[in-house]
Amino acid sequence: MAPTPPTDAELDVFIRARLASLGIDLDQLPPGTAADPETGAPGQASVLASLRSFVRGTIAGLAAYQLPTPDGTDPAVARALSQQPAPLLYPSIATEWRKP
């Protein structure tokens, strides 16, 4: 059974929660779709519509991405390899401070 895509209301709750965790309150924006004539800030409805479009179009693609693996790699091994941290350009910077 394929998952059902979230509704606009569900996405609005998700977006507001994520923004609130970053300290961003959309209630500070003017209501509706019209921009504030004094500050130029976009309306709440237009911001939410734009963010819903972003979430629907981007998040699934990012979540499905897997690093390329050599030909003939077992799919189970390929999945495990994709979960490893990316190699660092200068590993000593990230590892030296952890030495006892």
Side-chain angles (χ1 to χ4, degrees):
M1 180 175 175
T4 58
T7 64
D8 285 354
E10 291 170 336
L11 279 178
D12 288 350
V13 170
F14 168 74
I15 291 166
R16 284 183 178 273
R18 291 291 293 162
L19 291 175
S21 71
L22 299 171
I24 299 170
D25 183 12
L26 288 182
D27 292 331
Q28 299 297 315
L29 296 173
T33 58
D36 186 342
E38 191 173 313
T39 63
Q44 291 177 23
S46 61
V47 169
L48 283 171
S50 175
L51 290 172
R52 280 193 305 267
S53 173
F54 171 78
V55 169
R56 283 192 174 114
T58 307
I59 303 297
L62 289 174
Y65 178 77
Q66 286 190 353
L67 293 171
T69 56
D71 291 335
T73 304
D74 180 23
V77 172
R79 179 77 176 148
L81 288 174
S82 72
Q83 299 302 313
Q84 293 181 359
L88 297 171
L89 184 58
Y90 301 105
S92 63
I93 294 171
T95 58
E96 188 64 29
W97 64 274
R98 291 187 243 163
K99 290 184 179 177

